[in-house]
Amino acid sequence: MLNKIALGGGCHWCTEAVFQSLVGVSKVEQGFVASTGENIAFSEAVIVHFNTEIISLKTLIEIHLHTHKSSSNHSMRTKYRSAVYTFSKVQKHEVEGLMNAFQDAFENKLITQVFPFKSFKASRKQIQNYYYSNPKKPFCQSFINPKLEIIINQFSKYGNENKLKHLKYE
């Protein structure tokens, strides 16, 4: 069954590459997501479309928490909001339960928040699919490869070997 979730945490080039590299993910839309209330301003994020028969929401949330600074605040949190944006009340309830369950895996308190999804603006075409169009660029080597190595080392069962083979996927 196909489902979707929106995720923000750091640069959307990084987040896009992480989720493009997973089995069961059929599409990743890179751009900016807004929620409601004080979080109505757009923040860098992605919408992940996934097949729940191959990869669970639980696994996606766990990978998200481990591949960005989900337990540290910094001055750029408006642009890079650490968040999970949900598309229904049922999904919101599930994600909140998962977030509580994952807290024990982190030394510091998770700052990632759960918000209702309100709207999305896609990035301009030239920067979509950034990593897989530019894997040798210094930004990709310095910032995205370490996140992909987390997939290889901690979540190898969910890594797409074809996409990660350039990183010596084993």
Side-chain angles (χ1 to χ4, degrees):
M1 182 172 116
L2 290 178
N3 206 338
K4 64 183 176 178
I5 192 78
L7 305 164
C11 168
H12 51 204
W13 295 347
C14 296
T15 312
E16 176 189 53
V18 164
F19 293 97
Q20 284 178 326
S21 301
L22 301 175
V23 295
V25 172
S26 58
K27 179 168 80 168
V28 179
E29 297 177 78
Q30 182 210 110
F32 304 86
V33 171
S35 184
T36 57
E38 63 185 35
N39 298 298
I40 198 159
F42 283 97
S43 183
E44 291 193 19
V46 297
I47 299 174
V48 178
H49 300 259
F50 63 102
N51 183 334
T52 58
E53 294 172 14
I54 299 171
I55 192 165
S56 67
L57 180 59
K58 177 183 179 184
T59 299
L60 292 173
I61 299 299
E62 184 177 18
I63 289 170
H64 180 56
L65 294 174
H66 285 280
T67 56
H68 83 282
K69 294 181 179 177
S70 60
S71 62
S72 66
N73 240 328
H74 53 73
S75 61
M76 298 293 287
R77 277 294 177 214
T78 304
K79 181 178 181 180
Y80 305 122
R81 190 179 298 128
S82 181
V84 177
Y85 301 91
T86 59
F87 289 89
S88 70
K89 288 181 181 180
V90 170
Q91 191 179 55
K92 180 181 188 292
H93 181 70
E94 181 180 359
V95 170
E96 288 171 340
L98 291 168
M99 294 294 294
N100 288 332
F102 285 131
Q103 179 59 66
D104 289 342
F106 293 85
E107 187 175 323
N108 297 318
K109 181 169 175 31
L110 291 171
I111 62 161
T112 306
Q113 296 182 291
V114 181
F115 298 122
F117 175 89
K118 177 74 173 162
S119 55
F120 176 76
K121 279 192 318 192
S123 296
R124 62 187 194 280
K125 276 273 195 232
Q126 300 92 311
I127 63 168
Q128 291 178 18
N129 194 35
Y130 186 81
Y131 179 80
Y132 284 105
S133 298
N134 307 283
K136 300 287 185 207
K137 286 207 171 184
F139 180 89
C140 296
Q141 299 284 313
S142 297
F143 297 102
I144 300 176
N145 281 355
K147 295 172 187 311
L148 299 180
E149 287 168 2
I150 291 170
I151 294 171
I152 292 169
N153 295 325
Q154 295 178 333
F155 302 98
S156 61
K157 175 178 172 182
Y158 301 102
N160 182 326
E161 292 181 36
N162 290 327
K163 291 203 169 187
L164 297 170
K165 65 184 170 194
H166 67 286
L167 293 172
K168 314 266 187 289
Y169 193 90
E170 296 176 28

